[in-house]
Amino acid sequence: MIEAGKLTEEFGSLVFNDKIMRERLPKDIYKAVHKTIEKGTHLELDVANCVAAVMKEWAIENGATHFTHWFQPMTGLTAEKHDSFISPSDDGTIIMEFSGKELVKGEPDASSFPSGGLRATFEARGYTAWDPSSPAFIKDGSLYIPTAFCSYGGEALDKKTPLLRSMEALSEESVKMLHLLGYKDVARVSTTIGSEQEYFLIDKDFYKKRKDLLLTGRTLIGAPATKGQEMEDHYFGVIKPKVSAYMHDLDEELWKLGIPAKTKHNEVAPSQHELAPVFETANIAVDHNQLTMEVMKKVADKHNYACLLHEKPFEGINGSGKHNNWSVCTDTGMNLLDPGKTPAENIPFLVFLTAVIAAVDEYAPILRLSVASAGNDHRLGGNEAPPAIISIFVGDELAEVLQSVVDGTDYQSAAKVQMSMGATVLPHFTKDNTDRNRTSPFAFTGNKFEFRMPGSAVSVANANIVLNTAVAEEVAKLYAKLSGYGPEELKKNIKDILRQTLEAHKRVLFNGNGYTDEWVEEAAKRGLPNLKSLPDAMPYWISDQSIDLFTRHHIFTKEEIHSRYEILLENYSKSIHIESLTMQEMVRKDLTEGIVAYQKDLSKEVVQKKELLGDGSCKLELGLLKALDDASFKMGQALTKLSDDTKTAEGLTENLEAASYYQATVLADMDELRKYADEAEALIPEKYLSYPTYGQMLFSLR
Ligand code: ADP
Ligand code: MG
């Protein structure tokens, strides 16, 4: 346990961070590495050799015997292969070695990672390349080196490579724009991300007894508990002692890894919680979020919990997301989405805000796709999560500022209102000019946007790749319109250019309640896409618009786009396939076993009781027997249909066709089967079930 007084020393104690490098690297080497990190310049091998030697010493001092290139293949998880530092000598002893070459390049076999057809099976070689902009760290006795992963032919096979490319694209276009606007000292712009992570904790023993949770991460059957989240008593509720101990342990593990865990609280659903870190540069934030998810699970295991990261582990109560707080910041310290005191006069802010609005409207289908997965599709459009329609909340004050740009009028800022709560002992403070909005998928929150659609289980890289690239594109378009003007003319015309862009995209702005049916209708009238599932959205990924966007900014080649298309579809179908088989097995074996045992006992009871009390008795037992018989009959029919349709799905070889079939038919079959399974389960006493119920799982945390 870290003592509170030691926290400043212990934070990042397992990280090869800037401070360690400054202390341990020769000055010129440190400068070279620093330049690479800050400016994105190329790193020479002699520098790498020196860094490797110092890194090895530091790692060994901190208990590492191995090193690993750590990367993020298209599985959505992380991958690692460990090599020890040992090198045998002639005299039977060993020395510990680690070269610059080993630091900068790895050669994992790429043939067992998803490639979506990019790599023929005989081309097994892949490469990992050190990403010096994300610090190495020590975990479980190994030195972890964050790396990018590509095929023998140089195509990206991971999430980091396109993320880094998209950050560079946005930087390049933004710097050009800022120079035009007179901010000549800006050399680089970076995206910052703070991703709030939601999760569920349940008792590990319960978890182990549920095949659906073990194999698919979500419950596939399960009658609702008699209590759900209707009392609104969990959000920000008192954290129970055992859960609090878990959260404390989790914070400490994260802090040691240099992850700035900041906020923790109970979430809306029972047994649901959230952790939010302080924001960081996008690339590091994405790495840290991957690590956070892993550490959450590991620490949970120690505390006899299972940590569920699935987007919809339980039917009928809130699912989990990963709010992606996103902003753009210059190397001179300017947050380009900070409106300042006079937003209407803040030209860089208005330019970037306009670019974001245009980007989100123009590329809504691709942005929707960036958060699509079999898991997240269950959450989006549910009663608790943003709908699949993408709109932007800017709040009243900014809406007025934007309107004044559109109308060509001067904006008068409303005077700040003093807040008084009616009791003099309470402090007075000024009220924010804008309320919060919790239903918008893409909300302006003061000096950043909060993209609330990403799912809890997946990497946030995809969402940020699309966001960065789309905004880069819109900044570039604005630049093209503005760059012909001299400085004086620019001042005169800039609002007019912004007005044109805002006019074209204002349909995406919506300050109301995004969870209502009226909004779904209104959005359709405005022509905003409502792409409910991954297969619905997928064709947009390979559209000309998408290919133009990503190839123009060198984020993906056409081949890489197509490979990702195949991978996403395949993953989707595979997930539902596994769910279908798991559900069939649970119904056929576990639930049926419970139904049969209970029916048997009830029948025995009826026979015995009737002997004693005569024919008029046993009304309750007979009613239960009949209800169970009805439900299990329908359950049997639905099971047969699911089984048949799943076999049909297995025969479909074209990826989009298969995914669409899984979505439209297999998922619908699963819903139908679940209806009767849950009806039956609700009638059976818990002791007849080999797996725990919703009530047991959701309300047992102490
Ligand atoms: P809320 O609870 O309303 O969602 P918070 O103020 O707790 O909002 O912040 C949520 C997240 O936004 C935190 O992770 C925070 O670090 C992050 N954040 C704050 N400023 C920025 C920024 N400029 N860029 C990216 N993320 C930011
Ligand atoms: Mg939030």
Side-chain angles (χ1 to χ4, degrees):
M1 187 152 141
I2 302 177
E3 279 173 48
K6 294 259 167 68
L7 182 53
T8 44
E9 286 160 49
E10 290 289 329
F11 183 85
S13 59
L14 298 176
V15 184
F16 193 72
N17 55 21
D18 193 64
K19 178 169 169 273
I20 302 282
M21 285 198 279
R22 205 173 44 226
E23 283 168 8
R24 298 194 171 207
L25 291 174
K27 233 186 187 144
D28 54 330
I29 301 288
Y30 171 72
K31 268 194 187 154
V33 179
H34 200 69
K35 194 168 152 216
T36 296
I37 295 171
E38 290 300 312
K39 302 208 165 28
T41 50
H42 181 71
L43 194 96
E44 300 300 331
L45 188 63
D46 57 333
V47 176
N49 274 329
C50 179
V51 176
V54 172
M55 223 186 226
K56 180 196 70 183
E57 291 306 319
W58 172 82
I60 292 170
E61 279 167 34
N62 283 283
T65 52
H66 290 66
F67 69 95
T68 178
H69 275 202
W70 183 65
F71 57 103
Q72 296 163 31
M74 297 300 296
T75 53
L77 307 168
T78 56
E80 53 196 41
K81 180 191 90 181
H82 302 254
D83 283 304
S84 71
F85 292 122
I86 70 162
S87 173
S89 308
D90 289 341
D91 62 359
T93 60
I94 54 154
I95 51 167
M96 302 290 258
E97 271 187 348
F98 184 49
S99 68
K101 232 165 122 190
E102 286 172 304
L103 167 63
V104 299
K105 191 180 98 180
E107 295 188 17
D109 183 338
S111 60
S112 295
F113 293 101
S115 80
L118 267 185
R119 177 192 38 70
T121 29
F122 58 88
E123 292 169 346
R125 200 192 285 273
Y127 294 111
T128 49
W130 178 36
D131 167 18
S133 64
S134 181
F137 55 92
I138 290 172
K139 193 166 70 73
D140 305 326
S142 280
L143 169 69
Y144 279 69
I145 301 156
T147 56
F149 177 45
C150 69
S151 73
Y152 184 64
E155 293 100 352
L157 291 176
D158 70 344
K159 312 222 168 205
K160 186 188 272 286
T161 309
L163 178 67
L164 289 170
R165 290 174 185 164
S166 74
M167 290 166 68
E168 277 177 26
L170 182 56
S171 177
E172 200 177 303
E173 301 302 343
S174 304
V175 168
K176 258 168 45 186
M177 174 62 87
L178 288 165
H179 285 186
L180 183 68
L181 298 178
Y183 297 86
K184 303 264 192 232
D185 49 344
V186 174
R188 206 157 181 235
V189 158
S190 54
T191 33
T192 49
I193 297 175
S195 52
E196 305 163 41
Q197 176 73 46
E198 294 179 338
Y199 61 99
F200 280 84
L201 287 179
I202 65 164
D203 203 311
K204 187 161 71 181
D205 297 329
F206 288 152
Y207 173 75
K208 284 202 226 147
K209 287 187 181 142
R210 297 223 32 147
K211 288 175 191 154
D212 47 8
L213 285 180
L214 278 169
L215 299 178
T216 75
R218 73 174 178 117
T219 55
L220 299 166
I221 55 175
T226 47
K227 178 184 175 189
Q229 60 192 46
E230 61 277 57
M231 298 301 287
E232 301 182 331
D233 54 359
H234 199 253
Y235 189 64
F236 282 16
V238 176
I239 301 171
K240 305 221 167 96
K242 274 190 66 193
V243 175
S244 176
Y246 164 79
M247 287 177 166
H248 193 86
D249 213 2
L250 174 62
D251 277 342
E252 287 192 350
E253 292 297 317
L254 295 176
W255 289 335
K256 281 190 246 166
L257 290 168
I259 299 173
K262 172 89 174 164
T263 309
K264 51 188 180 186
H265 59 80
N266 286 352
E267 257 301 328
V268 171
S271 297
Q272 191 187 28
H273 313 281
E274 179 182 298
L275 180 143
V278 178
F279 68 94
E280 300 174 282
T281 308
N283 176 36
I284 298 176
V286 169
D287 284 359
H288 279 174
N289 180 254
Q290 292 289 125
L291 265 180
T292 299
M293 291 194 283
E294 188 189 314
V295 176
M296 276 180 162
K297 290 191 170 172
K298 196 169 87 181
V299 176
D301 196 59
K302 257 181 27 201
H303 286 249
N304 216 26
Y305 289 133
C307 172
L308 308 181
L309 292 172
H310 193 281
E311 287 82 5
K312 194 76 178 177
F314 303 100
E315 200 66 29
I317 61 171
N318 276 15
S320 299
K322 181 144 40 195
H323 294 174
N324 185 66
N325 294 274
W326 180 94
S327 192
V328 196
C329 187
T330 67
D331 57 348
T332 55
M334 219 178 18
N335 176 354
L336 295 169
L337 291 178
D338 187 346
K341 288 208 164 64
T342 50
E345 317 309 322
N346 187 341
I347 295 296
F349 169 70
L350 288 177
V351 166
F352 280 87
L353 181 67
T354 303
V356 174
I357 292 169
V360 172
D361 184 39
E362 188 80 31
Y363 296 101
I366 304 173
L367 207 52
R368 160 71 183 92
L369 246 183
S370 75
V371 301
S373 68
N376 208 24
D377 281 1
H378 292 291
R379 170 179 163 261
L380 298 175
N383 283 327
E384 83 284 7
I389 306 162
I390 299 194
S391 63
I392 303 180
F393 168 87
V394 290
D396 297 338
E397 187 185 22
L398 270 192
E400 281 171 32
V401 171
L402 293 175
Q403 194 59 47
S404 74
V405 175
V406 170
D407 298 342
T409 54
D410 279 339
Y411 169 75
Q412 289 295 329
S413 128
K416 286 258 180 196
V417 177
Q418 273 286 323
M419 191 81 179
S420 164
M421 295 166 80
T424 39
V425 63
L426 296 176
H428 289 206
F429 46 86
T430 52
K431 189 170 145 167
D432 291 298
N433 283 355
T434 296
D435 193 9
R436 284 167 176 249
N437 173 303
R438 284 287 170 203
T439 63
S440 177
F442 203 91
F444 186 75
T445 49
N447 60 0
K448 61 187 186 290
F449 274 101
E450 183 171 351
F451 185 29
R452 300 190 178 126
M453 290 171 100
S456 49
V458 295
S459 161
V460 274
N462 284 357
N464 291 295
I465 293 166
V466 175
L467 201 51
N468 291 346
T469 313
V471 175
E473 170 65 12
E474 296 302 329
V475 172
K477 275 193 207 155
L478 285 172
Y479 179 84
K481 288 183 189 161
L482 294 169
S483 57
Y485 294 116
E488 281 311 308
E489 277 185 310
L490 184 70
K491 262 191 208 150
K492 258 193 258 154
N493 288 292
I494 193 159
K495 283 206 175 170
D496 197 42
I497 302 285
L498 295 181
R499 180 185 59 72
Q500 290 167 19
T501 305
L502 286 169
E503 274 288 356
H505 297 290
K506 66 180 185 200
R507 64 174 187 165
V508 77
L509 299 176
F510 176 61
N511 279 353
N513 183 354
Y515 291 3
T516 63
D517 292 339
E518 290 78 48
W519 168 235
V520 176
E521 267 173 48
E522 163 69 16
K525 270 191 224 144
R526 294 189 190 187
L528 300 177
N530 184 1
L531 300 166
K532 295 207 174 97
S533 71
L534 180 140
D536 286 344
M538 219 54 231
Y540 289 92
W541 182 251
I542 49 168
S543 65
D544 288 347
Q545 187 203 31
S546 166
I547 292 174
D548 281 354
L549 174 74
F550 290 121
T551 54
R552 187 160 48 249
H553 294 280
H554 310 290
I555 312 302
F556 293 120
T557 62
K558 201 170 168 186
E559 292 70 32
E560 287 170 340
I561 292 175
H562 277 275
S563 97
R564 267 151 223 259
Y565 172 83
E566 303 298 343
I567 293 170
L568 270 166
L569 286 169
E570 265 183 42
N571 281 349
Y572 179 85
S573 296
K574 282 180 191 164
S575 303
I576 300 178
H577 186 248
I578 295 169
E579 286 185 354
S580 167
L581 297 186
T582 308
M583 183 181 200
Q584 290 177 47
E585 176 162 319
M586 272 186 87
V587 170
R588 199 174 284 128
K589 295 185 183 167
D590 306 350
L591 178 57
T592 303
E593 179 194 39
I595 297 175
V596 169
Y598 186 42
Q599 280 183 324
K600 210 186 225 168
D601 282 354
L602 276 174
S603 309
K604 265 195 232 150
E605 166 80 359
V606 169
V607 173
Q608 286 173 5
K609 215 166 148 188
K610 283 205 171 181
E611 262 176 37
L612 289 170
L613 301 175
D615 264 357
S617 66
C618 302
K619 292 239 164 57
L620 174 68
E621 294 86 339
L622 285 169
L624 275 170
L625 267 171
K626 177 87 178 79
L628 265 178
D629 197 47
D630 285 348
S632 52
F633 174 71
K634 289 182 194 142
M635 203 174 86
Q637 283 181 319
L639 184 60
T640 307
K641 178 153 180 359
L642 175 62
S643 163
D644 291 347
D645 289 342
T646 304
K647 283 192 195 110
T648 306
E650 286 164 7
L652 300 174
T653 50
E654 205 276 314
N655 282 334
L656 180 60
E657 190 195 357
S660 302
Y661 186 85
Y662 274 106
Q663 194 271 327
T665 307
V666 177
L667 277 181
D669 288 351
M670 288 169 64
D671 281 347
E672 185 74 2
L673 175 56
R674 176 163 191 155
K675 197 165 76 193
Y676 301 119
D678 291 359
E679 218 174 282
E681 191 199 286
L683 299 170
I684 305 174
E686 279 155 6
K687 68 168 188 181
Y688 287 90
L689 293 171
S690 60
Y691 57 86
T693 61
Y694 268 35
Q696 290 170 312
M697 284 186 286
L698 288 168
F699 293 97
S700 63
L701 290 189
R702 287 180 299 276

